[in-house]
Amino acid sequence: MSAQGNAGAGAEGAAGPGMVIAIDGPSGSGKSSTSKGVAAARGFEYLDTGAMYRAMTWWMMHHRVDVDDAEAVAAAASRPVITMGTDPSAPTVQVDGADVAQAIRTQEVTSGVSAVSAVPAVRERLVAMQRDTIARARRESGGIVVEGRDITTVVAPDAAVKIYLTASAEARAARRSKEVRTDDVEATKRALALRDRLDSSREDSPLTQTEDALELETSGLGLQEVIDIVVGLADEAADGAQAQAAAQ
């Protein structure tokens, strides 16, 4: 299972019979681990949209495009071929056929991803790819868990289950430091705070919680506890849909 694109019009995020579970929230809140665990438990596909923006950022840096030059980034945004594997047990990220799963997690990429993701041409292209992937997964499999920073608000606002994961600044910094393999937790904490400010102030899709998304604070919860909560919500949504269909 994979999502690939070099362009393309976006399909509606809720088209098709399968379920969409949308998980939003800031970096380090546990989105990736939770999303993969829920997808595996439900037999769903999994899409990490943040990795797509990181892959775009990596490509720009690799090709010496100034990530702070919005016009230059926009001009190059259609060039990289980004392919996302959607198997939750072994998700993959490829750019132009190369495996970049580790390369996109460096501090250098982290420092540039907010600037790249704020460029409208980048967002338009990647959101279209994300919606296409959601539509395909709903047609071809039981459903998909999609995680990122604007999934419930922009990419799949009509998802059956909408979760906004949060965590304390300390917990988020510790998790992200482990992910990027650095011992400087305080520096990571400052970087996360800066990215939150940038993402929350974006006019096109600010980081925010929708009224119909359940806020789930993960600081004091174990991963399996969080997964179980979301799976339970998915079960409730599926039961509700079946009851509604039977009543019609």
Side-chain angles (χ1 to χ4, degrees):
M1 297 179 287
S2 68
Q4 177 173 328
N6 201 16
E12 288 299 320
M19 175 180 287
V20 178
I21 299 176
I23 299 183
D24 264 353
S27 295
S29 57
K31 295 190 304 296
S32 294
S33 298
T34 298
S35 297
K36 286 185 282 189
V38 171
R42 294 282 303 184
F44 286 1
E45 296 184 43
Y46 160 73
L47 180 64
D48 178 357
T49 65
M52 297 174 74
Y53 287 100
R54 285 176 170 273
M56 181 71 77
T57 303
W58 176 88
W59 187 95
M60 295 292 171
M61 292 179 167
H62 187 69
H63 288 81
R64 301 186 183 282
V65 177
D66 183 356
V67 297
D68 293 316
D69 184 340
E71 290 187 2
V73 171
S78 64
R79 293 175 58 190
V81 178
I82 299 172
T83 307
M84 305 294 296
T86 58
D87 181 348
S89 65
T92 58
V93 187
Q94 293 186 333
V95 178
D96 296 341
D99 179 0
V100 296
Q102 295 300 319
I104 64 173
R105 301 297 175 182
T106 64
Q107 189 58 49
E108 182 183 16
V109 171
T110 298
S111 67
V113 69
S114 285
V116 171
S117 62
V119 175
V122 170
R123 297 193 59 76
E124 181 179 354
R125 183 185 173 209
L126 295 187
V127 168
M129 288 176 59
Q130 292 156 15
R131 289 175 174 164
D132 285 342
T133 301
I134 291 169
R136 180 201 54 73
R138 298 198 72 201
R139 291 192 307 268
E140 299 177 2
S141 61
I144 186 168
V145 181
V146 188
E147 59 119 324
R149 285 174 169 247
D150 59 358
I151 308 307
T152 65
T153 55
V154 176
V155 179
D158 46 3
V161 178
K162 300 167 73 171
I163 306 292
Y164 188 86
L165 289 188
T166 64
S168 68
E170 291 74 18
R172 292 173 55 208
R175 292 168 181 169
R176 178 46 56 91
S177 295
K178 183 177 181 180
E179 179 180 305
V180 300
R181 300 177 183 178
T182 178
D183 294 327
D184 195 341
V185 178
E186 284 302 315
T188 302
K189 185 177 177 180
R190 291 192 296 271
L192 289 175
L194 174 60
R195 185 174 178 189
D196 286 348
R197 288 196 296 273
L198 292 172
D199 288 348
S200 297
S201 62
R202 281 208 312 247
E203 295 182 359
D204 55 345
S205 60
L207 176 62
T208 186
Q209 178 184 354
T210 60
E211 292 183 359
D212 58 345
L214 172 68
E215 180 175 348
L216 184 54
E217 219 287 351
T218 65
S219 300
L221 297 175
L223 174 60
Q224 191 58 50
E225 292 178 280
V226 180
I227 292 172
D228 289 345
I229 290 171
V230 179
V231 169
L233 292 169
D235 290 342
E236 291 178 8
D239 291 343
Q242 291 177 355
Q244 184 176 10
Q248 293 178 346

